Amino acid sequence: MATPIPPAIRQPLDRTAVSVMVVLCTIWASQTIMIKLASPDMGNVAQVGIRSVGATLLLWCYALWSGDRLWQKDGSLRPGLLAGFLFAMEFVCVTFGLMLTSATHVAVFLYTAPLFSALGLHFLVPGEQLSRRQWVGMGLAFAGLALAMSDGFLAQQGIDWRMFAGDLIGLAGGAFWGVTTVAIRASALSEVSPVKTLMYELGFTGVLLTPMAWLLGEFDSFHFTLTSSLSLAYQTTILCSASYLGWLILLRRYLATRLAVFSFLTPIIAAVFGWLILGDAISHSFIGGGVLVMLGIMVVNRR
C-alpha cells in the first residue's frame, strides 16, 4: 500500500484527477433526474434517508472484506460526527429548498459551496490558499453558473417571498457542503480511511433523514415499483457509495480548492442531461455560461 501523503501536502490536479472529477460531476448531475423518476412513489426525503442507510451498510460490508479498521482510535470521532451533521444538513436544505423554490434556484445557490470551502481552507489549512488569479477564476466559474441558469431567474416576475426563503435555504445548503469539505480537510478525517469518513457522513444522514421522512408522512405513500427500485439502487450504489467515496479518495491526494471548483460543472451537465433526455431547451446564455465555467476552472487549476 502506498505511503499516505503528509497532512499539509496535497498535489495540484493532474490528468487522472481531472478525468475522475468529470466522471464524478456527471454522476452527481444525474441525482435530480433519479430522484424525480422515483418521486411519484417515494418522497424526496425518504429517498435520501434510505439510500444513505443502504450505502452505509454497503460500506460496512466492504470494510469488513478489505480489513479496514473502522473502530481504531484515530481522533476522528468528533470531527466525523461534525462532518456527518454538516453533510446531513446539506441534504435537509436541498429537500426543503426544493419545496419552496425552483430546481434552478437551488442549483445556483447550492453550488456556492466551492466559494465557502475556498474561504475556509484559505484560513485554516496550509497549502490550500488561492492566489488572486485563482480567486478570479473561482469568480468566473460561479458567474458562468449564474449566467447559465439565469433563464430560471429572469422568468420570475416580482418578489416571491416563498421562493426567496427557498433560495436562502439553498444558499445554506451550499454553505453546509463547503464547510463539510473544510471540516474533513482541516481535521483527523484528512488522513483516516475514506470509507470511515463516508460512513460518518452517510450514517448520520440516514439516522436523521429517515425518521424525518416518517414524520413528514412520506412513508404513507411509499411504493417499490420497477422505476423507483432501480432509481434507489442506483442512488445507493453508484451515487452515494462509489462517487462520494471517489471524492474522498481524491481529497486525500489533491488540493481541495482545486477539486471543489470542478463541482460548478455539475448543474451544467445536469442541464445537458435535461436537454438530451427530457427535451429541455438550451439558451444562448446557458452556452455562454458553460464557457465561463470551463474558463474559470482552467484559471484556477493552471499551474
Side-chain angles (χ1 to χ4, degrees):
M1 182 178 294
T3 303
I5 298 174
I9 301 177
R10 290 295 189 272
Q11 302 175 10
L13 272 59
D14 53 24
R15 291 182 180 179
T16 300
V18 171
S19 300
V20 173
M21 277 306 302
V22 171
V23 172
L24 293 182
C25 289
T26 303
I27 294 173
W28 297 339
S30 68
Q31 177 172 219
T32 54
I33 293 178
M34 292 297 107
I35 290 177
K36 284 182 179 181
L37 287 174
S39 59
D41 303 298
M42 298 178 180
N44 294 351
V45 179
Q47 288 185 60
V48 176
I50 291 174
R51 79 186 192 187
S52 299
V53 172
T56 302
L57 294 175
L58 284 178
L59 290 169
W60 181 64
C61 292
Y62 173 77
L64 292 177
W65 174 78
S66 63
D68 207 328
R69 297 180 180 179
L70 297 177
W71 312 114
Q72 181 179 5
K73 291 185 178 180
D74 49 21
S76 67
L77 179 58
R78 288 184 179 180
L81 293 176
L82 174 62
F85 170 76
L86 294 170
F87 187 81
M89 289 305 298
E90 173 199 340
F91 286 102
V92 170
C93 289
V94 170
T95 53
F96 281 91
L98 288 172
M99 296 177 186
L100 299 173
T101 189
S102 68
T104 299
H105 285 218
V106 171
V108 171
F109 289 110
L110 179 64
Y111 285 94
T112 57
L115 301 178
F116 287 107
S117 61
L119 283 171
L121 292 167
H122 179 84
F123 292 106
L124 296 175
V125 181
E128 290 283 3
Q129 290 73 24
L130 295 179
S131 66
R132 291 182 180 179
R133 172 181 57 81
Q134 290 171 317
W135 278 112
V136 170
M138 188 76 74
L140 279 175
F142 180 71
L145 174 61
L147 177 61
M149 303 291 139
S150 61
D151 289 343
F153 283 87
L154 296 175
Q156 308 299 327
Q157 296 181 354
I159 298 178
D160 186 332
W161 293 107
R162 177 183 171 88
M163 178 168 286
F164 180 71
D167 293 347
L168 289 180
I169 294 174
L171 181 63
F176 279 121
W177 182 5
V179 176
T180 302
T181 301
V182 177
I184 293 172
R185 185 66 180 87
S187 69
L189 294 174
S190 180
E191 303 305 318
V192 304
S193 164
V195 173
K196 187 172 185 176
T197 301
L198 186 55
M199 287 185 69
Y200 279 123
E201 294 182 325
L202 293 175
F204 204 110
T205 303
V207 169
L208 180 64
L209 267 69
T210 304
M212 186 180 295
W214 179 76
L215 291 173
L216 292 172
E218 291 192 358
F219 286 107
D220 295 338
S221 57
F222 191 92
H223 303 288
F224 281 106
T225 62
L226 179 60
T227 299
S228 62
S229 298
L230 289 175
S231 172
L232 194 59
Y234 171 84
Q235 293 181 58
T236 302
T237 56
I238 305 300
L239 180 66
C240 285
S241 299
S243 73
Y244 293 160
L245 185 59
W247 163 252
L248 291 174
I249 290 173
L250 290 178
L251 281 181
R252 289 202 67 187
R253 182 163 295 274
Y254 299 99
L255 291 165
T257 47
R258 311 289 181 88
L259 291 169
V261 71
F262 267 87
S263 63
F264 285 124
L265 281 176
T266 303
I268 302 295
I269 298 173
V272 173
F273 279 162
W275 173 59
L276 292 173
I277 299 173
L278 304 176
D280 295 342
I282 286 184
S283 65
H284 294 297
S285 61
F286 176 85
I287 297 173
V291 172
L292 275 181
V293 169
M294 294 300 298
L295 179 61
I297 291 173
M298 291 172 63
V299 170
V300 172
N301 285 284
R302 182 186 175 198
R303 301 198 181 205

